Amino acid sequence: MRCLLAFLTLAGAATAQVYPLRWVYVSRNLQQDSHVEDFRQIADVASKHGLNGVMLAAGFDSIGRQNQAYFRRLEEVRRIAEERSLEIIPLFYSVGYAGGILGFNRHLAAGLPVRDAIYLAGEKEAKLVPDSEAAFANPGFEDFSGNTARGYRFHDSPGVISFIDREVFHSGSASMRFENFASNPNGHGRLMQEIKVKPHRCYRVSAWVKSEELQPSSAFRIQVLTADGQALAPWDPKLPSTTEWRKLVFGFNSMSHTMVRIYAGVWGGKSGKFWIDDLEIEEVGLVNVLRRDGTPVRVVSESSGEVYEEGVDYAAINDPQLNFRFDHDGPPIRLLPESRIRPGERLLVSYYHGMSINDGQVSACMSEPEVHDILRANARLIHEKLAPRRWMLSVDEIRMGGSCEACKRRGMSMAQILGDHMTQGFLMIRDINPDAEIWAWSDMFDPGHNARNNYYLVDGDFTGSWDYIPRDLNIVCWYYAKRNESLAFFSGLGHRTLAGAYYDGDTLDNPQGWLEALAKTPGAMGIMYTTWQNKYGLLAAFGDLVSK
């Protein structure tokens, strides 16, 4: 391995240009002293091997909520970098991964609409009355013929990959077991059932799952897809390789659809087994309900159309948990003493709810002014503590937005909303420091990446977003497979570029490929060692490759 790295380093040194910006990405939230020591060790290697900048992700979107211990550690990090002639480029301004913003106000999350859910009024409160046909057929696999379970659109290879198991089950007298994934060319071991739903309603799905030496465990997923393949509930259940029966719970919004396809199983399984039993789907109401100007709640009489008033007819509606998961029930509607709502009356309730996707990702609404107020205050505090010459705006992978009234009433496309959000960030930095150099990730402005229609749960089209951003915004390109196209696209628009390279490989092939692409790109300014997995073993060799 050392010989290989030495060869790559020498080969790169012989052919590659040395760019002025040579950075390393470091993510530490500075919540403990060991994070400072981690930074020191990385900075030592970086500075000794020709790098001159650290893109630092240190919880800057929530810097206004940090304590004095955090600021003490940040000052130590600043001093360490200065002593090693390393520039700190703070990473902040994320609405795609908006945990920092939502720490100030969780109701700023992007919202999905629920329309005309049925609630039935009692003496003191009104509760949800599901009016959907949504239900699994044969959820416990008790109805079968041989190894084929009735009611399912399919399950992979009955008797080879999928089996009715009458000895291991969660309840009843049977479950479905999956194994022998290698017998499928794609490693599939899945089941699927089509479920009727009402449009613009919120549903919770659960299943009991058991696993035994399942490899890779990350291959297990439960998915909700539309007939045309749109994923309504991107979610990582994080099933352990071996576990006793555990209940997996998630939710989705049906959006405009009347039917969904619910899949469960493995894609790309290698070995091991898993069992599934007791599938369930149910309509839920007011779970993760959002309360902000752009996400109003509306309660209307089904019979008369009369609009009832919050604070007069019913008490303020809030979900006290609001954790963007579906592991809890939403609140009832509590009727006030002078309410015009009568017992037995059916109500149509419309609202917006937040939800997390994938591994807990929650996006913030780009159209709510408070989001930019929070970010502006954070930017001023970052400037006070670091006075950075360069900034990185973390505008990437914005997977929800466009559905709420705050977005709709602007009369703008999602491309325009995104471009306006990016421009506001650019201008707020320039207001603080007119000479600041500002960078952003490429993906949301790249037509070959995420600047497109039908992007996750976004209501609208990001196509053309690149037309609404400042031309002196600098772009960090990171889509390796399309590096040549991406760099050429942004260079052609007049943007200066930098390559987000490496991404946790075992060799330096990725950075070498980026160097080759950068050499053909007018306005290319540099390259960055980018690790999401804290893999810094190749940092020294990377520094040598890009610095000599």
Side-chain angles (χ1 to χ4, degrees):
M1 177 62 75
R2 289 181 180 176
C3 292
L4 173 61
L5 293 179
F7 171 79
L8 287 173
T9 300
L10 290 172
T15 61
Q17 175 182 343
V18 176
Y19 294 94
L21 304 181
R22 303 177 304 279
W23 298 348
V24 56
Y25 175 89
V26 177
S27 178
R28 294 292 187 278
N29 62 19
L30 303 185
Q31 295 304 302
Q32 52 196 45
D33 290 341
S34 63
H35 292 172
V36 177
E37 184 58 33
D38 291 344
F39 182 89
R40 187 193 316 275
Q41 293 177 14
I42 296 166
D44 280 342
V45 175
S47 62
K48 289 176 182 176
H49 291 271
L51 303 186
N52 57 15
V54 179
M55 183 184 291
L56 179 61
F60 290 122
D61 282 332
S62 59
I63 191 171
R65 302 175 60 244
Q66 301 292 353
N67 58 26
Q68 289 305 307
Y70 171 91
F71 289 111
R72 172 180 55 78
R73 296 183 189 110
L74 181 61
E75 173 59 24
E76 178 67 8
V77 163
R78 187 202 61 76
R79 186 187 63 78
I80 291 168
E82 187 176 86
E83 289 176 351
R84 290 155 181 79
S85 299
L86 291 171
E87 176 184 8
I88 291 179
I89 303 93
L91 180 83
F92 103 118
Y93 203 74
S94 177
V95 295
Y97 296 83
I101 296 169
L102 301 181
F104 292 90
N105 181 356
R106 297 177 73 79
H107 294 278
L108 294 173
L112 296 172
V114 169
R115 297 177 184 159
D116 296 337
I118 303 296
Y119 275 67
L120 181 64
E123 292 289 339
K124 295 183 178 180
E125 59 186 25
K127 294 184 178 180
L128 178 73
V129 179
D131 66 335
S132 167
E133 298 179 36
F136 279 99
N138 194 20
F141 307 99
E142 312 292 333
D143 185 4
F144 57 86
S145 176
N147 282 302
T148 300
R150 295 186 176 93
Y152 291 81
R153 179 73 176 267
F154 79 87
H155 50 90
D156 285 313
S157 303
V160 178
I161 293 176
S162 57
F163 302 85
I164 299 297
D165 195 324
R166 303 189 66 182
E167 296 182 359
V168 178
F169 44 83
H170 175 255
S171 71
S173 59
S175 71
M176 183 165 283
R177 183 181 78 251
F178 290 83
E179 56 184 298
N180 303 324
F181 312 119
S183 64
N184 182 287
N186 297 306
H188 288 167
R190 311 155 302 162
L191 58 79
M192 187 271 278
Q193 189 170 137
E194 292 185 338
I195 305 288
K196 291 182 179 180
V197 294
K198 285 288 185 72
H200 302 292
R201 298 293 178 84
C202 191
Y203 293 90
R204 175 164 53 208
V205 177
S206 64
W208 286 86
V209 181
K210 168 183 164 69
S211 60
E212 181 179 295
E213 298 182 356
L214 180 63
Q215 295 296 331
S217 61
S218 60
F220 181 86
R221 284 174 281 168
I222 303 178
Q223 299 193 77
V224 181
L225 302 183
T226 63
D228 60 359
Q230 181 187 4
L232 298 182
W235 178 57
D236 180 3
K238 293 192 175 301
L239 184 72
S241 176
T242 298
T243 182
E244 287 302 316
W245 290 105
R246 63 171 55 198
K247 190 177 185 180
L248 304 179
V249 181
F250 70 102
F252 70 95
N253 188 298
S254 57
M255 301 175 80
S256 62
H257 303 282
T258 58
M259 184 274 291
V260 297
R261 294 172 175 171
I262 299 183
Y263 293 75
V266 299
W267 285 253
K270 303 296 184 184
S271 60
K273 306 175 183 179
F274 74 89
W275 292 257
I276 190 164
D277 201 359
D278 295 332
L279 292 156
E280 184 179 7
I281 181 171
E282 57 183 328
E283 185 182 348
V284 294
L286 295 172
V287 177
N288 298 314
V289 58
L290 298 173
R291 305 311 313 271
R292 55 180 169 85
D293 181 58
T295 56
V297 171
R298 182 179 169 90
V299 178
V300 180
S301 169
E302 183 184 45
S303 59
S304 70
E306 185 171 11
V307 179
Y308 294 116
E309 185 177 348
E310 189 169 18
V312 175
D313 298 298
Y314 57 92
I317 293 174
N318 276 291
D319 181 349
Q321 297 196 47
L322 188 53
N323 58 10
F324 306 109
R325 300 191 299 270
F326 290 81
D327 55 0
H328 64 283
D329 292 328
I333 298 174
R334 186 164 57 87
L335 307 183
L336 294 177
E338 302 301 319
S339 177
R340 293 169 291 168
I341 301 172
R342 305 269 64 88
E345 187 171 0
R346 284 165 60 94
L347 307 173
L348 304 180
V349 179
S350 300
Y351 62 95
Y352 294 82
H353 70 90
M355 64 179 283
S356 64
I357 63 175
N358 292 334
D359 189 17
Q361 178 186 357
V362 182
S363 297
C365 177
M366 293 182 284
S367 295
E368 284 288 355
E370 187 180 343
V371 168
H372 295 99
D373 292 342
I374 290 168
L375 291 169
R376 188 174 294 105
N378 286 336
R380 291 179 180 136
L381 192 50
I382 295 167
H383 178 73
E384 176 188 323
K385 299 299 182 181
L386 295 176
R389 176 188 170 195
R390 295 182 174 91
W391 296 68
M392 179 68 179
L393 301 187
S394 189
V395 178
D396 66 319
E397 297 181 339
I398 301 171
R399 291 170 170 154
M400 284 182 64
S403 298
C404 74
E405 289 191 12
C407 290
K408 295 296 186 187
R409 65 191 175 207
R410 298 180 75 182
M412 300 167 66
S413 70
M414 281 306 292
Q416 292 170 318
I417 288 174
L418 174 59
D420 176 73
H421 170 70
M422 186 76 257
T423 301
Q424 287 194 57
F426 185 93
L427 294 176
M428 76 171 59
I429 300 303
R430 284 288 174 86
D431 182 58
I432 294 169
N433 177 5
D435 298 321
E437 185 177 289
I438 303 167
W439 292 80
W441 299 115
S442 60
D443 61 302
M444 298 307 304
F445 310 101
D446 189 336
H449 204 172
N450 297 334
R452 57 180 174 83
N453 199 10
N454 300 318
Y455 183 60
Y456 281 79
L457 301 180
V458 173
D459 184 2
D461 189 348
F462 284 131
T463 301
S465 59
W466 54 87
D467 289 329
Y468 303 103
I469 58 177
R471 285 293 170 252
D472 48 349
L473 176 69
N474 304 292
I475 303 294
V476 179
C477 299
W478 59 273
Y479 192 175
Y480 181 77
K482 295 188 177 182
R483 60 195 180 280
N484 290 298
E485 298 91 333
S486 184
L487 287 167
F489 175 76
F490 289 107
S491 176
L493 292 176
H495 299 281
R496 295 189 302 173
T497 55
L498 181 143
Y502 178 58
Y503 283 94
D504 304 305
D506 295 321
T507 71
L508 294 181
D509 291 349
N510 176 293
Q512 184 66 56
W514 275 110
L515 288 173
E516 293 167 2
L518 288 169
K520 299 178 287 186
T521 306
M525 295 297 294
I527 189 167
M528 178 169 63
Y529 184 97
T530 316
T531 172
W532 287 169
Q533 300 175 12
N534 292 314
K535 291 176 65 172
Y536 292 97
L538 294 181
L539 180 59
F542 173 89
D544 293 342
L545 176 65
V546 303
S547 303
K548 296 180 181 178

